[in-house]
Amino acid sequence: MSSDSLIERAPTQDELDLLNYQSRIERPVRMKIPEMCHDEKLRHIIFSGQFSVDTLEDLASTADKIRALSRYRAGQNFLTNLLSHKRAMLYFTQPSTRTFLSFMAACQILGITCNEVRDPTTSSETKGETRLDSIRMFSSYFDLIIMRSKLARLAESCAYLMNDLEESGNRSVPIINAGSGADEHPTQSLLDIYTLQRSFQFTDPKDSPVSTRFEKLRKESPNLVKGLAHKVYGFCGDIGRGRTVRSLAGLLSNYEGVTLVFIAPNDPTLALRDDLRRRLTSRGVQIHEVESFEDRIEGTPVIEMLDALYMTRIQKEHNDPADEANFSELDLSRYKLTPELVARLKTYVPILHPFPRDQHFGEIPPEIDDDPRAMYFRQARNGMWIRAALLASVFGVEHQISRFFNDEMTTI
Ligand code: NCD
């Protein structure tokens, strides 16, 4: 919220509440991360910057075990008893299908009971209740709050509220950010990373179009290695407003030798924002900003140099009248994938998209879905497993899952 907006009218209590946390919000992420932990373990999940490479590997390993256990009744029974004494509130006041359902399914896998508020007009916010009062009220009934809001920083403010409550000896529960404004979407970046991790193991045929051909592939691309490091990642479309792009690009900067190529119009709304550019370059990531897949980097067209491609939709619901006018001048067709472009991608390149895709714009036309490189539906399913792993970690039962997996998987 800009302070200018407060000059024109008296601020609401909601705005004052957020202002109250402003000085904490304005600190660099690395200073805030310790406050989101409990005894050095994840507690509130607010920024993708909270996940180190080790944490990402631990979560992926828990997710792999959960998905393997879920194939068997004995494994399912074990999992659904693990957290059957816990209750979660899904507070999703911004539209969502995937993230909402995937969190709900993740809760169900672990036996967590869920309740939801999706429409604030059905809550006491219409009677003048502030958002922070609503959150504190939810924390009286539930053991976890998973929230999505169009307000950037609301989830972060709620995490501070919970920390303050804990400090004053009151009940306090973990907050998970399931998307906050144009700001961050840390759990989407978890599933994106998990999908990339599985693709770049080149082992499971469903996860990687070249699972059995790694050695052959190495003959064609001698520098190809397993894992996320030393790869070129392309992000195409609405880079400026894509919170999933912000969160994933931040996480990829944890890996060595990574190059990020942003393929977006040269428009202040759609292009890479300054703060993210600064954050990435300060971490030593090599970045390139181009306007088309055909632009060349060191002589090679971008489409031919990528190791992974992350497509996004143009988020037109956020357009203001100036955007509408500016966008009509742009050739947005360049930000659509076509079968011809896919044919020029390397044979192993996973194509990701956070979804929903826009059928009217057509950034990924359905004829690409059958290409073995199209990972977006698997990516969504991976989201359910990695979110279950995250919930297990927040409630500290990941070691129980490992023990059961190691002891029982040989017998079931
Ligand atoms: C994205 C989001 O909401 O930020 N979707 C999602 O969570 N899977 C991206 C989008 O809406 O385009």
Side-chain angles (χ1 to χ4, degrees):
M1 176 182 36
S2 81
S3 49
D4 291 352
S5 62
L6 297 182
I7 297 169
E8 290 156 25
R9 59 175 168 75
T12 63
Q13 188 59 42
D14 264 335
E15 288 166 342
L16 288 174
D17 283 343
L18 283 184
L19 269 185
N20 198 15
Y21 291 120
Q22 204 61 26
S23 58
R24 291 197 236 177
I25 286 171
E26 275 162 11
R27 295 169 301 161
V29 171
R30 73 189 136 72
M31 285 177 69
K32 308 189 234 185
I33 287 175
E35 291 167 31
M36 302 302 166
C37 297
H38 229 194
D39 301 331
E40 296 186 16
K41 279 188 53 85
L42 295 173
R43 174 169 160 78
H44 306 298
I45 310 298
I46 306 298
F47 322 105
S48 66
Q50 288 175 256
F51 305 122
S52 65
V53 170
D54 286 348
T55 309
L56 291 170
E57 270 161 25
D58 289 347
L59 287 170
S61 148
T62 307
D64 285 346
K65 292 182 180 106
I66 293 174
R67 78 197 292 163
L69 287 170
S70 296
R71 291 196 188 106
Y72 303 93
R73 184 168 285 272
Q76 272 173 27
N77 289 344
F78 162 76
L79 289 170
T80 49
N81 278 318
L82 260 182
L83 292 170
S84 53
H85 56 303
K86 298 289 182 193
R87 285 187 297 274
M89 163 51 80
L90 296 166
Y91 180 49
F92 275 58
T93 53
Q94 194 188 25
S96 173
T97 325
R98 260 144 299 274
T99 309
F100 177 82
L101 290 177
S102 130
F103 263 117
M104 184 173 260
C107 286
Q108 285 162 350
I109 289 169
L110 299 172
I112 302 172
T113 312
C114 297
N115 266 285
E116 61 186 76
V117 169
R118 304 198 66 178
D119 178 358
T121 61
T122 64
S123 89
S124 289
E125 281 170 31
T126 56
K127 299 182 187 168
E129 182 165 69
T130 65
R131 289 188 180 84
L132 294 191
D133 270 359
S134 300
I135 293 288
R136 186 169 178 184
M137 211 45 68
F138 299 153
S139 74
S140 319
Y141 308 133
F142 296 95
D143 303 295
L144 169 72
I145 299 167
I146 305 167
M147 57 186 289
R148 165 174 286 203
S149 165
K150 66 176 194 310
L151 280 185
R153 310 298 185 183
L154 183 63
E156 183 178 347
S157 304
C158 292
Y160 297 137
L161 169 71
M162 288 298 138
N163 286 353
D164 292 349
L165 286 171
E166 184 172 20
E167 209 147 283
S168 53
N170 287 294
R171 185 175 160 79
S172 158
V173 304
I175 303 284
I176 297 186
N177 176 4
S180 51
D183 172 31
E184 277 254 20
H185 195 345
T187 66
Q188 175 71 39
S189 64
L190 268 188
L191 71 98
D192 297 338
I193 287 279
Y194 183 46
T195 304
L196 292 168
Q197 281 167 328
R198 289 180 67 95
S199 297
F200 291 145
Q201 281 163 11
F202 300 105
T203 46
D204 185 332
K206 286 192 198 135
D207 289 313
S208 170
V210 287
S211 58
T212 53
R213 294 196 289 121
F214 184 61
E215 288 315 322
K216 180 166 172 259
L217 215 76
R218 278 264 281 234
K219 292 196 184 99
E220 293 160 20
S221 316
N223 295 332
L224 186 69
V225 285
K226 293 192 177 190
L228 274 75
H230 305 290
K231 298 229 159 28
V232 181
Y233 296 89
F235 289 88
C236 174
D238 195 340
I239 303 303
R241 296 179 292 191
R243 56 191 174 190
T244 66
V245 172
R246 293 172 72 78
S247 290
L248 177 60
L251 269 194
L252 286 171
S253 70
N254 289 342
Y255 294 86
E256 218 178 291
V258 153
T259 302
L260 304 183
V261 185
F262 296 99
I263 306 128
N266 183 11
D267 171 272
T269 303
L270 300 173
L272 183 67
R273 303 255 161 112
D274 273 347
D275 64 328
L276 182 58
R277 184 183 298 112
R278 271 199 305 273
R279 209 165 96 210
L280 295 171
T281 40
S282 75
R283 298 190 56 123
V285 179
Q286 211 188 341
I287 62 173
H288 297 278
E289 292 170 67
V290 299
E291 287 181 58
S292 147
F293 284 121
E294 302 299 345
D295 287 358
R296 287 168 185 263
I297 298 174
E298 290 168 15
T300 310
V302 164
I303 191 73
E304 292 169 24
M305 66 182 290
L306 301 176
D307 292 305
L309 173 58
Y310 196 90
M311 295 297 295
T312 65
R313 73 189 169 90
I314 306 292
Q315 300 193 17
K316 55 182 187 297
E317 71 276 23
H318 301 304
N319 287 359
D320 61 28
D323 290 328
E324 298 283 351
N326 293 344
F327 296 174
S328 63
E329 310 278 299
L330 300 169
D331 177 8
L332 293 179
S333 68
R334 295 173 177 195
Y335 310 101
K336 296 181 194 183
L337 210 49
T338 60
E340 293 70 34
L341 283 167
V342 172
R344 289 167 62 200
L345 284 169
K346 292 175 189 163
T347 51
Y348 58 83
V349 173
I351 304 168
L352 278 68
H353 189 307
F355 266 37
R357 63 179 155 184
D358 181 349
Q359 58 173 320
H360 307 294
F361 182 72
E363 68 277 14
I364 303 189
E367 54 263 42
I368 293 172
D369 297 358
D370 290 334
D371 191 288
R373 291 165 284 193
M375 280 299 145
Y376 25 92
F377 288 108
R378 275 198 75 67
Q379 185 187 354
R381 187 159 169 80
N382 285 339
M384 178 177 77
W385 303 119
I386 200 79
R387 287 185 169 117
L390 182 69
L391 296 173
S393 163
V394 166
F395 286 120
V397 294
E398 69 276 45
H399 299 300
Q400 270 168 264
I401 295 174
S402 288
R403 271 197 301 276
F404 185 88
F405 180 85
N406 294 336
D407 297 348
E408 305 294 325
M409 262 323 255
T410 45
T411 53
I412 57 178

Short mmCIF file of all heavy atoms in Angstrom, two decimals, residues 18-67:
data_model
loop_
_atom_site.label_atom_id
_atom_site.label_comp_id
_atom_site.label_asym_id
_atom_site.label_seq_id
_atom_site.Cartn_x
_atom_site.Cartn_y
_atom_site.Cartn_z
N LEU A 18 -1.60 -3.24 8.38
CA LEU A 18 -0.48 -3.57 7.49
C LEU A 18 0.66 -2.57 7.68
O LEU A 18 1.83 -2.93 7.69
CB LEU A 18 -0.93 -3.57 6.03
CG LEU A 18 -1.71 -4.80 5.58
CD1 LEU A 18 -2.00 -4.72 4.08
CD2 LEU A 18 -0.94 -6.09 5.85
N LEU A 19 0.29 -1.28 7.86
CA LEU A 19 1.33 -0.26 8.08
C LEU A 19 2.13 -0.55 9.34
O LEU A 19 3.33 -0.33 9.41
CB LEU A 19 0.67 1.12 8.23
CG LEU A 19 0.50 1.94 6.97
CD1 LEU A 19 -0.06 3.31 7.34
CD2 LEU A 19 1.82 2.10 6.23
N ASN A 20 1.43 -1.08 10.31
CA ASN A 20 2.05 -1.44 11.58
C ASN A 20 3.21 -2.42 11.39
O ASN A 20 4.18 -2.42 12.12
CB ASN A 20 0.93 -2.08 12.43
CG ASN A 20 1.28 -2.11 13.87
OD1 ASN A 20 2.20 -1.42 14.28
ND2 ASN A 20 0.56 -2.92 14.63
N TYR A 21 3.06 -3.29 10.37
CA TYR A 21 4.10 -4.29 10.11
C TYR A 21 5.09 -3.82 9.05
O TYR A 21 6.01 -4.53 8.70
CB TYR A 21 3.45 -5.60 9.65
CG TYR A 21 2.67 -6.30 10.75
CD1 TYR A 21 1.32 -6.55 10.63
CD2 TYR A 21 3.32 -6.70 11.92
CE1 TYR A 21 0.62 -7.18 11.65
CE2 TYR A 21 2.63 -7.33 12.93
CZ TYR A 21 1.27 -7.56 12.79
OH TYR A 21 0.59 -8.18 13.80
N GLN A 22 4.83 -2.58 8.53
CA GLN A 22 5.61 -2.12 7.38
C GLN A 22 7.12 -2.19 7.59
O GLN A 22 7.86 -2.65 6.73
CB GLN A 22 5.18 -0.69 7.01
CG GLN A 22 5.43 -0.29 5.57
CD GLN A 22 4.67 -1.17 4.59
OE1 GLN A 22 3.63 -1.75 4.92
NE2 GLN A 22 5.20 -1.31 3.39
N SER A 23 7.58 -1.75 8.76
CA SER A 23 9.03 -1.71 8.95
C SER A 23 9.61 -3.12 8.96
O SER A 23 10.70 -3.35 8.48
CB SER A 23 9.38 -0.96 10.24
OG SER A 23 8.75 -1.60 11.32
N ARG A 24 8.84 -4.09 9.46
CA ARG A 24 9.32 -5.47 9.43
C ARG A 24 9.30 -6.01 7.99
O ARG A 24 10.19 -6.72 7.57
CB ARG A 24 8.46 -6.36 10.31
CG ARG A 24 8.64 -6.05 11.80
CD ARG A 24 8.11 -7.19 12.62
NE ARG A 24 7.11 -6.71 13.55
CZ ARG A 24 6.43 -7.52 14.36
NH1 ARG A 24 6.62 -8.81 14.35
NH2 ARG A 24 5.54 -7.02 15.20
N ILE A 25 8.24 -5.61 7.25
CA ILE A 25 8.11 -6.08 5.87
C ILE A 25 9.24 -5.57 5.00
O ILE A 25 9.75 -6.27 4.13
CB ILE A 25 6.73 -5.63 5.31
CG1 ILE A 25 5.62 -6.47 5.93
CG2 ILE A 25 6.69 -5.69 3.79
CD1 ILE A 25 4.21 -6.00 5.63
N GLU A 26 9.68 -4.33 5.27
CA GLU A 26 10.66 -3.71 4.38
C GLU A 26 12.08 -4.25 4.56
O GLU A 26 12.98 -3.91 3.80
CB GLU A 26 10.65 -2.19 4.58
CG GLU A 26 9.56 -1.57 3.72
CD GLU A 26 9.17 -0.17 4.15
OE1 GLU A 26 9.89 0.41 5.00
OE2 GLU A 26 8.14 0.32 3.66
N ARG A 27 12.33 -5.11 5.53
CA ARG A 27 13.69 -5.64 5.72
C ARG A 27 14.02 -6.64 4.60
O ARG A 27 13.13 -7.23 4.01
CB ARG A 27 13.78 -6.38 7.08
CG ARG A 27 13.60 -5.46 8.27
CD ARG A 27 13.43 -6.28 9.53
NE ARG A 27 12.28 -7.17 9.43
CZ ARG A 27 12.07 -8.23 10.20
NH1 ARG A 27 12.94 -8.56 11.13
NH2 ARG A 27 11.00 -8.97 10.05
N PRO A 28 15.31 -6.83 4.32
CA PRO A 28 15.65 -7.86 3.31
C PRO A 28 15.19 -9.24 3.77
O PRO A 28 15.19 -9.53 4.98
CB PRO A 28 17.19 -7.81 3.26
CG PRO A 28 17.62 -6.62 4.04
CD PRO A 28 16.49 -6.17 4.90
N VAL A 29 14.83 -10.08 2.80
CA VAL A 29 14.26 -11.40 3.11
C VAL A 29 15.17 -12.20 4.06
O VAL A 29 14.71 -12.84 4.99
CB VAL A 29 13.99 -12.20 1.81
CG1 VAL A 29 13.62 -13.64 2.11
CG2 VAL A 29 12.88 -11.54 1.02
N ARG A 30 16.51 -12.11 3.81
CA ARG A 30 17.40 -12.96 4.62
C ARG A 30 17.30 -12.62 6.12
O ARG A 30 17.53 -13.46 6.97
CB ARG A 30 18.84 -12.89 4.11
CG ARG A 30 19.56 -11.62 4.41
CD ARG A 30 20.89 -11.52 3.68
NE ARG A 30 21.03 -10.20 3.15
CZ ARG A 30 21.26 -9.12 3.90
NH1 ARG A 30 21.42 -9.23 5.20
NH2 ARG A 30 21.34 -7.93 3.36
N MET A 31 16.92 -11.37 6.45
CA MET A 31 16.77 -11.01 7.86
C MET A 31 15.48 -11.57 8.45
O MET A 31 15.35 -11.76 9.65
CB MET A 31 16.77 -9.49 8.02
CG MET A 31 18.14 -8.88 7.86
SD MET A 31 18.05 -7.09 7.97
CE MET A 31 17.62 -6.89 9.70
N LYS A 32 14.49 -11.80 7.56
CA LYS A 32 13.18 -12.22 8.07
C LYS A 32 13.09 -13.74 8.22
O LYS A 32 12.28 -14.24 8.98
CB LYS A 32 12.09 -11.78 7.09
CG LYS A 32 12.14 -10.31 6.72
CD LYS A 32 10.91 -9.93 5.96
CE LYS A 32 11.18 -9.28 4.65
NZ LYS A 32 10.02 -8.82 3.95
N ILE A 33 13.94 -14.44 7.46
CA ILE A 33 13.81 -15.90 7.41
C ILE A 33 13.86 -16.56 8.80
O ILE A 33 13.02 -17.41 9.11
CB ILE A 33 14.83 -16.50 6.41
CG1 ILE A 33 14.35 -16.16 5.00
CG2 ILE A 33 14.99 -18.01 6.59
CD1 ILE A 33 15.29 -16.55 3.89
N PRO A 34 14.81 -16.14 9.68
CA PRO A 34 14.84 -16.81 10.99
C PRO A 34 13.52 -16.69 11.75
O PRO A 34 13.14 -17.60 12.49
CB PRO A 34 15.96 -16.08 11.74
CG PRO A 34 16.79 -15.44 10.67
CD PRO A 34 15.88 -15.16 9.53
N GLU A 35 12.78 -15.59 11.52
CA GLU A 35 11.50 -15.41 12.24
C GLU A 35 10.41 -16.34 11.73
O GLU A 35 9.37 -16.49 12.35
CB GLU A 35 11.01 -13.97 12.09
CG GLU A 35 11.89 -13.00 12.82
CD GLU A 35 11.60 -11.57 12.42
OE1 GLU A 35 10.46 -11.24 12.08
OE2 GLU A 35 12.57 -10.77 12.46
N MET A 36 10.64 -16.93 10.56
CA MET A 36 9.64 -17.83 9.99
C MET A 36 9.91 -19.27 10.40
O MET A 36 9.25 -20.19 9.93
CB MET A 36 9.62 -17.71 8.45
CG MET A 36 9.36 -16.30 7.96
SD MET A 36 7.79 -15.68 8.60
CE MET A 36 7.91 -13.93 8.26
N CYS A 37 10.93 -19.45 11.23
CA CYS A 37 11.30 -20.81 11.67
C CYS A 37 11.01 -20.97 13.15
O CYS A 37 10.86 -19.99 13.88
CB CYS A 37 12.80 -21.04 11.46
SG CYS A 37 13.27 -20.95 9.77
N HIS A 38 11.00 -22.21 13.59
CA HIS A 38 10.86 -22.57 14.98
C HIS A 38 11.96 -23.56 15.24
O HIS A 38 11.99 -24.59 14.55
CB HIS A 38 9.49 -23.24 15.20
CG HIS A 38 8.76 -22.70 16.34
ND1 HIS A 38 7.68 -23.33 16.88
CD2 HIS A 38 8.92 -21.57 17.07
CE1 HIS A 38 7.20 -22.62 17.86
NE2 HIS A 38 7.93 -21.55 18.01
N ASP A 39 12.81 -23.33 16.17
CA ASP A 39 13.95 -24.24 16.42
C ASP A 39 14.62 -24.64 15.11
O ASP A 39 14.87 -25.83 14.87
CB ASP A 39 13.48 -25.50 17.16
CG ASP A 39 12.84 -25.16 18.49
OD1 ASP A 39 13.23 -24.13 19.07
OD2 ASP A 39 11.93 -25.91 18.93
N GLU A 40 14.85 -23.65 14.26
CA GLU A 40 15.49 -23.85 12.95
C GLU A 40 14.73 -24.75 12.00
O GLU A 40 15.26 -25.19 10.99
CB GLU A 40 16.94 -24.35 13.15
CG GLU A 40 17.76 -23.30 13.85
CD GLU A 40 19.22 -23.63 13.97
OE1 GLU A 40 19.69 -24.52 13.26
OE2 GLU A 40 19.87 -22.98 14.80
N LYS A 41 13.46 -25.04 12.33
CA LYS A 41 12.64 -25.82 11.40
C LYS A 41 11.60 -24.89 10.77
O LYS A 41 11.19 -23.91 11.40
CB LYS A 41 11.93 -26.96 12.15
CG LYS A 41 12.84 -28.17 12.36
CD LYS A 41 12.05 -29.34 12.92
CE LYS A 41 10.82 -29.69 12.12
NZ LYS A 41 10.89 -30.53 11.01
N LEU A 42 11.15 -25.24 9.56
CA LEU A 42 10.15 -24.39 8.90
C LEU A 42 8.90 -24.28 9.77
O LEU A 42 8.42 -25.28 10.30
CB LEU A 42 9.74 -25.01 7.56
CG LEU A 42 10.81 -25.11 6.47
CD1 LEU A 42 10.28 -25.90 5.28
CD2 LEU A 42 11.26 -23.73 6.02
N ARG A 43 8.39 -23.06 9.92
CA ARG A 43 7.13 -22.89 10.65
C ARG A 43 6.14 -22.17 9.73
O ARG A 43 5.26 -22.79 9.17
CB ARG A 43 7.35 -22.11 11.94
CG ARG A 43 6.04 -21.78 12.66
CD ARG A 43 6.32 -21.25 14.06
NE ARG A 43 5.21 -20.51 14.63
CZ ARG A 43 4.12 -21.04 15.17
NH1 ARG A 43 3.98 -22.35 15.18
NH2 ARG A 43 3.19 -20.28 15.68
N HIS A 44 6.33 -20.85 9.55
CA HIS A 44 5.50 -20.16 8.56
C HIS A 44 6.20 -20.30 7.20
O HIS A 44 7.42 -20.20 7.12
CB HIS A 44 5.40 -18.66 8.88
CG HIS A 44 4.94 -18.37 10.27
ND1 HIS A 44 3.71 -18.76 10.73
CD2 HIS A 44 5.55 -17.73 11.29
CE1 HIS A 44 3.57 -18.36 11.98
NE2 HIS A 44 4.67 -17.74 12.36
N ILE A 45 5.38 -20.47 6.14
CA ILE A 45 5.96 -20.58 4.80
C ILE A 45 5.50 -19.34 4.04
O ILE A 45 4.36 -19.25 3.59
CB ILE A 45 5.48 -21.86 4.07
CG1 ILE A 45 5.66 -23.10 4.96
CG2 ILE A 45 6.17 -22.01 2.72
CD1 ILE A 45 7.09 -23.41 5.35
N ILE A 46 6.39 -18.37 3.90
CA ILE A 46 5.99 -17.08 3.33
C ILE A 46 6.77 -16.74 2.06
O ILE A 46 6.21 -16.21 1.10
CB ILE A 46 6.20 -15.95 4.38
CG1 ILE A 46 5.48 -16.29 5.69
CG2 ILE A 46 5.73 -14.59 3.84
CD1 ILE A 46 3.95 -16.42 5.58
N PHE A 47 8.07 -17.02 2.04
CA PHE A 47 8.92 -16.67 0.88
C PHE A 47 9.58 -17.93 0.33
O PHE A 47 9.96 -18.81 1.12
CB PHE A 47 10.07 -15.74 1.28
CG PHE A 47 9.73 -14.74 2.31
CD1 PHE A 47 10.16 -14.89 3.62
CD2 PHE A 47 8.99 -13.62 1.97
CE1 PHE A 47 9.86 -13.95 4.58
CE2 PHE A 47 8.68 -12.67 2.93
CZ PHE A 47 9.11 -12.84 4.23
N SER A 48 9.83 -17.95 -0.99
CA SER A 48 10.57 -19.11 -1.51
C SER A 48 12.01 -19.08 -1.00
O SER A 48 12.66 -20.12 -0.92
CB SER A 48 10.52 -19.15 -3.04
OG SER A 48 11.21 -18.07 -3.59
N GLY A 49 12.50 -17.88 -0.61
CA GLY A 49 13.87 -17.76 -0.08
C GLY A 49 14.09 -18.57 1.19
O GLY A 49 15.23 -18.72 1.64
N GLN A 50 13.03 -19.10 1.78
CA GLN A 50 13.18 -19.93 2.98
C GLN A 50 13.72 -21.33 2.66
O GLN A 50 14.13 -22.03 3.57
CB GLN A 50 11.82 -20.10 3.68
CG GLN A 50 11.32 -18.85 4.36
CD GLN A 50 9.92 -19.09 4.91
OE1 GLN A 50 8.94 -18.63 4.33
NE2 GLN A 50 9.80 -19.80 6.01
N PHE A 51 13.66 -21.71 1.38
CA PHE A 51 14.04 -23.09 1.05
C PHE A 51 15.48 -23.13 0.54
O PHE A 51 15.77 -22.63 -0.55
CB PHE A 51 13.12 -23.66 -0.05
CG PHE A 51 11.65 -23.58 0.29
CD1 PHE A 51 10.76 -22.91 -0.54
CD2 PHE A 51 11.15 -24.19 1.44
CE1 PHE A 51 9.40 -22.84 -0.24
CE2 PHE A 51 9.80 -24.13 1.75
CZ PHE A 51 8.92 -23.45 0.91
N SER A 52 16.36 -23.76 1.31
CA SER A 52 17.73 -23.96 0.85
C SER A 52 17.74 -25.19 -0.05
O SER A 52 16.75 -25.95 -0.10
CB SER A 52 18.65 -24.19 2.04
OG SER A 52 18.26 -25.40 2.67
N VAL A 53 18.85 -25.42 -0.73
CA VAL A 53 18.95 -26.60 -1.59
C VAL A 53 18.75 -27.87 -0.75
O VAL A 53 18.05 -28.80 -1.15
CB VAL A 53 20.31 -26.61 -2.34
CG1 VAL A 53 20.53 -27.94 -3.04
CG2 VAL A 53 20.36 -25.48 -3.35
N ASP A 54 19.32 -27.88 0.46
CA ASP A 54 19.14 -29.07 1.33
C ASP A 54 17.68 -29.27 1.69
O ASP A 54 17.17 -30.39 1.66
CB ASP A 54 19.95 -28.92 2.63
CG ASP A 54 21.43 -29.10 2.37
OD1 ASP A 54 21.78 -29.55 1.26
OD2 ASP A 54 22.24 -28.77 3.27
N THR A 55 16.99 -28.17 2.06
CA THR A 55 15.57 -28.28 2.40
C THR A 55 14.78 -28.81 1.21
O THR A 55 13.90 -29.66 1.35
CB THR A 55 14.99 -26.90 2.82
OG1 THR A 55 15.83 -26.34 3.80
CG2 THR A 55 13.58 -26.99 3.30
N LEU A 56 15.11 -28.31 0.01
CA LEU A 56 14.39 -28.75 -1.19
C LEU A 56 14.60 -30.23 -1.42
O LEU A 56 13.68 -30.95 -1.81
CB LEU A 56 14.87 -27.96 -2.42
CG LEU A 56 14.48 -26.48 -2.43
CD1 LEU A 56 15.20 -25.73 -3.55
CD2 LEU A 56 12.97 -26.32 -2.59
N GLU A 57 15.82 -30.69 -1.15
CA GLU A 57 16.08 -32.13 -1.34
C GLU A 57 15.35 -32.96 -0.31
O GLU A 57 14.79 -34.02 -0.62
CB GLU A 57 17.58 -32.40 -1.35
CG GLU A 57 18.04 -32.28 -2.80
CD GLU A 57 19.50 -32.08 -2.99
OE1 GLU A 57 20.29 -32.47 -2.11
OE2 GLU A 57 19.86 -31.51 -4.04
N ASP A 58 15.33 -32.49 0.94
CA ASP A 58 14.62 -33.23 1.99
C ASP A 58 13.13 -33.30 1.67
O ASP A 58 12.50 -34.35 1.81
CB ASP A 58 14.78 -32.53 3.36
CG ASP A 58 16.20 -32.68 3.88
OD1 ASP A 58 16.96 -33.49 3.33
OD2 ASP A 58 16.56 -31.95 4.84
N LEU A 59 12.56 -32.17 1.24
CA LEU A 59 11.13 -32.16 0.93
C LEU A 59 10.82 -33.09 -0.24
O LEU A 59 9.83 -33.84 -0.21
CB LEU A 59 10.65 -30.74 0.62
CG LEU A 59 10.55 -29.79 1.82
CD1 LEU A 59 10.30 -28.35 1.34
CD2 LEU A 59 9.43 -30.21 2.77
N ALA A 60 11.68 -33.08 -1.26
CA ALA A 60 11.46 -33.95 -2.42
C ALA A 60 11.54 -35.41 -1.99
O ALA A 60 10.74 -36.25 -2.43
CB ALA A 60 12.49 -33.65 -3.51
N SER A 61 12.46 -35.70 -1.08
CA SER A 61 12.60 -37.10 -0.66
C SER A 61 11.37 -37.53 0.16
O SER A 61 10.85 -38.64 -0.02
CB SER A 61 13.92 -37.21 0.10
OG SER A 61 13.86 -38.17 1.08
N THR A 62 10.84 -36.63 1.01
CA THR A 62 9.61 -36.96 1.75
C THR A 62 8.45 -37.13 0.77
O THR A 62 7.64 -38.06 0.90
CB THR A 62 9.27 -35.85 2.78
OG1 THR A 62 10.42 -35.64 3.61
CG2 THR A 62 8.08 -36.21 3.63
N ALA A 63 8.38 -36.24 -0.23
CA ALA A 63 7.29 -36.33 -1.21
C ALA A 63 7.36 -37.66 -1.96
O ALA A 63 6.33 -38.31 -2.19
CB ALA A 63 7.36 -35.16 -2.19
N ASP A 64 8.56 -38.08 -2.34
CA ASP A 64 8.72 -39.37 -3.05
C ASP A 64 8.21 -40.52 -2.17
O ASP A 64 7.57 -41.46 -2.66
CB ASP A 64 10.20 -39.63 -3.38
CG ASP A 64 10.69 -38.78 -4.54
OD1 ASP A 64 9.84 -38.19 -5.26
OD2 ASP A 64 11.92 -38.67 -4.73
N LYS A 65 8.50 -40.44 -0.86
CA LYS A 65 8.06 -41.52 0.04
C LYS A 65 6.54 -41.50 0.19
O LYS A 65 5.89 -42.54 0.17
CB LYS A 65 8.72 -41.38 1.41
CG LYS A 65 10.22 -41.63 1.33
CD LYS A 65 10.89 -41.53 2.68
CE LYS A 65 12.37 -41.80 2.50
NZ LYS A 65 13.19 -40.59 2.61
N ILE A 66 5.97 -40.30 0.33
CA ILE A 66 4.51 -40.20 0.48
C ILE A 66 3.83 -40.78 -0.76
O ILE A 66 2.87 -41.55 -0.67
CB ILE A 66 4.08 -38.74 0.74
CG1 ILE A 66 4.59 -38.28 2.10
CG2 ILE A 66 2.57 -38.58 0.63
CD1 ILE A 66 4.34 -36.80 2.41
N ARG A 67 4.35 -40.42 -1.94
CA ARG A 67 3.68 -40.92 -3.17
C ARG A 67 3.84 -42.42 -3.29
O ARG A 67 2.91 -43.11 -3.73
CB ARG A 67 4.08 -40.14 -4.42
CG ARG A 67 5.43 -40.48 -5.01
CD ARG A 67 5.91 -39.40 -5.95
NE ARG A 67 5.12 -39.28 -7.18
CZ ARG A 67 5.16 -38.22 -7.97
NH1 ARG A 67 5.89 -37.16 -7.67
NH2 ARG A 67 4.47 -38.18 -9.07
#
